[in-house]
Amino acid sequence: MSQTVDRALSILPLLAEGPADLGRVADRLGVHKSTALRLLRTLHEHGLVYRQSDQRYRLGARLISLAQEAMENLDIREIAHPHLVRLNEQCGHTVHLAVHEEDEVLYIDKVESRYPVRMYSRIGKPVAITVAAVAKLLLADLPEPERRARAEQFDYPLYTARSTPNAPAFLRELEKVRDQGWATDLGGHEESINCVGAPIRGADGRVAAAMSVSAPNVVVTADELLTLLPLVRRTADAISGEYSGRTPVTDPAHPDHRSARTPTKDPV
Amino acid sequence: MSQTVDRALSILPLLAEGPADLGRVADRLGVHKSTALRLLRTLHEHGLVYRQSDQRYRLGARLISLAQEAMENLDIREIAHPHLVRLNEQCGHTVHLAVHEEDEVLYIDKVESRYPVRMYSRIGKPVAITVAAVAKLLLADLPEPERRARAEQFDYPLYTARSTPNAPAFLRELEKVRDQGWATDLGGHEESINCVGAPIRGADGRVAAAMSVSAPNVVVTADELLTLLPLVRRTADAISGEYSGRTPVTDPAHPDHRSARTPTKDPV
DNA sequence: ACGTCTGTTGCATCTTCTGCAACGTTCATT
DNA sequence: AATGAACGTTGCAGAAGATGCAACAGACGT
């Protein structure tokens, strides 16, 4: 809507690919160098972009701290965290929490597996939207026309032989997930990794987040993982209850559950 | 430098305080509602801002994934991580890695304590710049005039009785840190928490990052923590060596050490 | 010492952003 | 049920600010 801002913001994903110099940025934006310079300077003043010693630009630290604050504003995260930890204590596997926003699904919390062999993942990373259990859960809740629209604009990369191959298959899978109230990813992303997930619902009954337990084949088989399903669902339901119930949030700052984790003020 | 972009970017820290509606944003920016609307729309298109169901705006998920990518581009982080883990295995305490950028010092990696009593901190959170051991290490390396300039524009919040009280004291402390090549924070931020840190240097000999070990009083006394100093310094030096040495980075994508942690492609 | 490459500045032009005022909705009030 | 307020949204004319150009400066390698 605003050309200047639009151009400036386009620089960010560009730099996310790696550091770039002025000329490169100008080229990619399709503008004159002097224009790119001014945009970069503005981004720099706000700390979103950093100029490293070789003069090239890369994403700045302010971006990281902003993202940090963004996550701390997510109520679901605060509420869910202790439940995720407890679940991890019970089963020992990696536990993820994810939300859906625009056309991304991303992990917003994670409790590491206590087994030596762990899967790789990172908070903030967008998930493989066509195969991940949490993605299926979140998309399955969308109204039918939107679900269809989304499904059709996705790519369907074949990570493994068991990846969802195309839109019709994906829509069928969503239908199934919607009916049964839980989802799996059995080697659809990484051959050797399986997940079981369940939805977390808000007060309006819509799916607000999704959680999953993941474990590599070498630790437990898919069948063994599936025996955890009741536990996962109970946990998800517990979070749903707390999230949709009278959330004890005194709005602007949430001193209650925040102080629960950090006894004094603004923690290190 | 560019007014429009400047205004748009000012919205981000504003929303970091918590969700806000259009009127509020316009007020805080000092512009007309329609102007604010256009800016927000542009931010929205880029996913940096999200519109929640009550129509209020908050920071968007794209911000989180961008920050993620920003961190993954930091070579020091990749290199340091295994060393941090090893140090944690040896001493059991919380290990932090921090860098300095513009006027912030922030944690970019962390390995959790293996003791039940843990300190609270989070990757991406700016540190208390006047007291944290890592902050002292990073600032101590700046050229004298800049150090002085920075020191004078800081606030000196008295977190505890042992917090650095003012600029002269801080400058003296930096001098000391610079000479001895390591730093501490003994209850300067949280009464009961102590830290010991050491600098990580790049090929040019300048301090590129800093690491520290933190532990609460109830686990080990300050004196006991100080006995870890040689270990911490050895670790920092090992990282320095690897970082300043011939870093095996085939630039654009870093397939080498990335693939070391994730056997196949783009992990979950 | 020369040439090339990259970043930087000042300026005139014109695109694009801004604020206004009017409209459409939604929600609370009477 | 009707009225009013508050908020978000749109089109438009004027004005302010962004753009590209061309010329300069500085670094680097030859």
Side-chain angles (χ1 to χ4, degrees):
Chain A
M1 213 86 238
S2 161
Q3 191 189 61
T4 316
V5 178
D6 186 47
R7 284 177 174 165
L9 297 182
S10 304
I11 294 178
L12 299 178
L14 193 159
L15 291 184
E17 297 168 18
D21 61 20
L22 180 61
R24 195 180 160 70
V25 172
D27 280 355
R28 294 278 303 262
L29 283 186
V31 298
H32 196 269
K33 280 188 305 180
S34 60
T35 305
L37 180 65
R38 268 182 298 255
L39 297 177
L40 280 165
R41 275 227 253 266
T42 312
L43 289 168
H44 180 92
E45 275 176 17
H46 286 258
L48 297 184
V49 143
Y50 179 70
R51 193 147 201 202
Q52 41 188 32
S53 42
D54 63 351
Q55 294 235 104
R56 291 189 306 169
Y57 294 91
R58 62 168 174 71
L59 294 179
R62 195 72 237 287
L63 197 63
I64 300 174
S65 54
L66 273 176
Q68 193 50 44
E69 301 184 66
M71 286 208 292
E72 300 203 343
N73 282 344
L74 298 176
D75 303 343
I76 320 144
R77 191 170 188 278
E78 301 272 342
I79 293 171
H81 191 80
H83 294 272
L84 305 185
V85 170
R86 195 165 333 120
L87 177 56
N88 168 268
E89 278 161 6
Q90 289 167 29
C91 71
H93 303 300
T94 303
V95 181
H96 279 117
L97 178 71
V99 292
H100 172 61
E101 202 173 301
E102 309 297 337
D103 17 85
E104 285 184 335
V105 167
L106 45 85
Y107 294 129
I108 56 170
D109 203 1
K110 177 189 183 182
V111 185
E112 278 283 1
S113 166
R114 290 183 289 114
Y115 290 92
V117 184
R118 297 176 181 184
M119 71 181 287
Y120 176 87
S121 77
R122 238 181 210 302
I123 293 176
K125 201 162 190 102
V127 311
I129 206 161
T130 58
V131 296
V134 287
K136 294 176 192 168
L137 289 161
L138 289 161
L139 291 169
D141 184 59
L142 293 176
E144 206 280 340
E146 200 176 339
R147 222 185 309 159
R148 176 177 307 275
R150 302 287 180 112
E152 261 150 31
Q153 69 188 21
F154 289 149
D155 285 335
Y156 292 85
L158 289 174
Y159 306 104
T160 75
R162 278 175 292 178
S163 299
T164 312
N166 50 41
F170 190 54
L171 285 168
R172 253 174 292 141
E173 176 75 3
L174 292 189
E175 202 63 62
K176 182 177 138 201
V177 167
R178 190 186 175 83
D179 289 344
Q180 70 193 7
W182 51 274
T184 58
D185 163 21
L186 303 176
H189 185 50
E190 295 278 346
E191 194 64 62
S192 63
I193 293 185
N194 303 310
C195 312
V196 210
I200 294 165
R201 296 175 187 276
D204 52 4
R206 305 244 355 233
V207 174
M211 57 173 294
S212 71
V213 170
S214 313
N217 261 330
V218 294
V219 175
V220 289
T221 64
D223 285 343
E224 286 165 346
L225 189 63
L226 279 172
T227 62
L228 292 174
L229 181 58
L231 181 58
V232 174
R233 298 188 77 178
R234 267 203 306 280
T235 305
D237 289 346
I239 300 171
S240 298
E242 200 171 325
Y243 181 59
S244 60
R246 62 275 142 247
T247 325
V249 175
T250 54
D251 209 52
H254 328 231
D256 7 50
H257 41 325
R258 181 163 294 182
S259 62
R261 265 200 261 161
T262 149
T264 53
K265 53 157 65 152
D266 202 15
V268 180
Chain B
M1 212 88 242
S2 161
Q3 190 188 60
T4 317
V5 178
D6 186 48
R7 283 176 175 166
L9 297 182
S10 304
I11 294 177
L12 299 179
L14 193 160
L15 291 185
E17 299 168 18
D21 61 21
L22 178 61
R24 195 180 160 72
V25 172
D27 280 355
R28 294 279 302 266
L29 283 187
V31 298
H32 196 271
K33 280 187 306 178
S34 59
T35 305
L37 178 66
R38 268 181 299 255
L39 298 178
L40 281 166
R41 275 226 253 266
T42 312
L43 289 168
H44 180 91
E45 274 176 19
H46 287 258
L48 298 184
V49 143
Y50 179 69
R51 193 148 201 202
Q52 38 188 33
S53 42
D54 62 351
Q55 294 235 104
R56 291 189 306 169
Y57 295 91
R58 63 169 172 73
L59 295 180
R62 196 73 238 286
L63 196 61
I64 300 174
S65 54
L66 273 176
Q68 193 50 45
E69 302 185 65
M71 287 207 292
E72 300 203 343
N73 282 344
L74 298 176
D75 303 344
I76 321 144
R77 192 169 188 277
E78 300 272 343
I79 293 171
H81 192 80
H83 295 272
L84 305 184
V85 170
R86 195 165 332 121
L87 176 56
N88 169 268
E89 278 162 6
Q90 287 167 30
C91 72
H93 303 300
T94 302
V95 181
H96 279 116
L97 178 71
V99 292
H100 172 62
E101 202 172 300
E102 307 298 336
D103 18 86
E104 285 184 336
V105 167
L106 48 84
Y107 295 129
I108 57 170
D109 204 0
K110 176 188 182 183
V111 185
E112 278 283 2
S113 167
R114 289 182 291 113
Y115 290 92
V117 184
R118 296 177 183 183
M119 71 181 287
Y120 176 85
S121 76
R122 237 180 210 304
I123 292 176
K125 199 158 195 111
V127 312
I129 205 163
T130 58
V131 297
V134 288
K136 294 176 192 169
L137 289 161
L138 290 161
L139 292 168
D141 185 60
L142 294 176
E144 205 280 340
E146 201 177 337
R147 222 186 310 160
R148 178 178 305 276
R150 300 288 181 110
E152 260 150 32
Q153 70 186 20
F154 289 150
D155 286 335
Y156 291 86
L158 289 174
Y159 305 105
T160 74
R162 279 175 291 179
S163 298
T164 313
N166 50 41
F170 190 53
L171 285 168
R172 252 175 293 144
E173 175 75 2
L174 291 190
E175 202 65 60
K176 182 178 138 203
V177 166
R178 190 186 174 82
D179 289 345
Q180 69 192 7
W182 50 275
T184 59
D185 162 22
L186 302 176
H189 185 52
E190 293 279 346
E191 194 64 63
S192 63
I193 293 187
N194 303 309
C195 311
V196 211
I200 294 164
R201 296 175 187 278
D204 52 3
R206 304 243 354 234
V207 174
M211 56 172 295
S212 70
V213 169
S214 313
N217 262 329
V218 294
V219 175
V220 289
T221 65
D223 285 343
E224 287 166 345
L225 188 63
L226 280 172
T227 63
L228 291 175
L229 181 57
L231 181 59
V232 174
R233 297 187 76 179
R234 267 203 306 279
T235 305
D237 290 345
I239 299 171
S240 299
E242 200 171 324
Y243 181 58
S244 59
R246 62 277 141 247
T247 324
V249 175
T250 53
D251 208 54
H254 327 232
D256 6 49
H257 42 322
R258 182 163 292 183
S259 63
R261 267 201 257 161
T262 150
T264 53
K265 51 159 68 153
D266 201 15
V268 181

